Amino acid sequence: MTRGGRTKIRDEAERRCIATGETQPKGGLIRFVVGPEGQVVPDVLERLPGRGIWVSADRAALELAVKKNLFSRGAKMQVTVPADLLDQTETVLTRRLTDLIALSRKGGYAVAGFEKVKSWLAEGRAKVLLQASDGSERGKSKLWTPEGGRFFGCLTATELGLAFGRQSVIHGALAAGGLTARVVEEAAKLQGLRKANGGTAAGKDTKNA
């Protein structure tokens, strides 16, 4: 996995960010399209029809695109940018991420709860550590980022709970395989929008890939 939390894919398609001007693998960007009424909408699943307008999965880049009306330039036409576009994007990314974690749980690739997560980490089974952004720092510091894996703290306890079918979850972990690579990719995007610290866990840590 890359330091940004994404899994490298050979010959992955690249897109140009309208805000930074940089070309990069599209997995690190968010796609937007112009709807029938000329309004910009986020297309997290990358399935909506129309010309794709790409912005780096970074809050500053998206804010710049909105502020300077770069979407009209990217669409090659005058478009309307909703005042809450950043919130809309964050909401759909959060939903996408929790849905992927839920599917991973059903497939046996994800567990929740301090003891289960600690066991997976000790056994070397965990490849991704998930911890609630609003969880106790003392409790979170007792776990560590998997060797060669990733840590994400961009979801709240309620959001993690939704992913695991519970009211609230502080600690979660994912094993390699299944939808884990997709979870990492979407978590990295959400992390970029929320400006969460995705480099290391709150406590003990190992080197990240």
Side-chain angles (χ1 to χ4, degrees):
M1 294 180 183
T2 65
R3 186 173 179 78
R6 298 184 53 256
T7 299
K8 289 185 177 180
I9 302 175
R10 184 175 298 178
D11 299 327
E12 182 179 0
E14 297 186 332
R15 296 291 185 270
R16 184 182 181 86
C17 171
I18 62 171
T20 66
E22 297 179 352
T23 298
Q24 59 177 300
K26 70 176 186 177
L29 298 100
I30 300 170
R31 184 178 190 262
F32 294 84
V33 297
V34 180
E37 299 181 357
Q39 190 172 64
V40 176
V41 296
D43 178 25
V44 173
L45 297 180
E46 300 176 12
R47 295 176 181 173
L48 295 178
R51 179 188 181 89
I53 305 171
W54 300 81
V55 181
S56 297
D58 176 82
R59 192 171 192 85
L62 186 51
E63 288 176 339
L64 181 64
V66 171
K67 181 180 180 180
K68 295 193 173 183
N69 194 26
L70 300 179
F71 286 99
S72 291
R73 183 187 303 175
K76 300 186 184 304
M77 60 181 286
Q78 194 61 37
V79 300
T80 301
V81 179
D84 64 343
L85 184 62
L86 272 75
D87 290 338
Q88 284 186 35
T89 305
E90 184 177 322
T91 296
V92 294
L93 274 176
T94 301
R95 179 60 183 271
R96 174 62 174 161
L97 178 55
T98 55
D99 284 349
L100 286 171
I101 295 173
L103 289 172
S104 296
R105 172 180 60 85
K106 292 177 181 178
Y109 290 93
V111 293
F114 182 86
E115 292 301 332
K116 288 184 178 179
V117 172
K118 183 177 181 180
S119 177
W120 272 31
L121 287 169
E123 296 169 3
R125 185 175 179 183
K127 295 303 178 184
V128 179
L129 172 64
L130 303 169
Q131 291 186 313
S133 58
D134 52 350
S136 165
E137 293 303 319
R138 181 178 180 182
K140 292 192 293 184
S141 69
K142 296 178 181 179
L143 298 178
W144 59 95
T145 302
E147 178 70 34
R150 291 296 301 167
F151 161 75
F152 291 102
C154 53
L155 291 174
T156 65
T158 299
E159 291 165 346
L160 267 180
L162 179 65
F164 284 98
R166 303 181 184 180
Q167 184 174 356
S168 176
V169 166
I170 303 299
H171 314 282
L174 287 87
L179 296 170
T180 295
R182 298 294 299 277
V183 171
V184 168
E185 187 170 284
E186 298 305 319
K189 291 179 182 180
L190 182 60
Q191 181 170 272
L193 288 188
R194 290 187 167 179
K195 293 296 183 182
N197 174 19
T200 59
K204 296 176 287 183
D205 183 38
T206 57
K207 292 182 178 180
N208 290 315

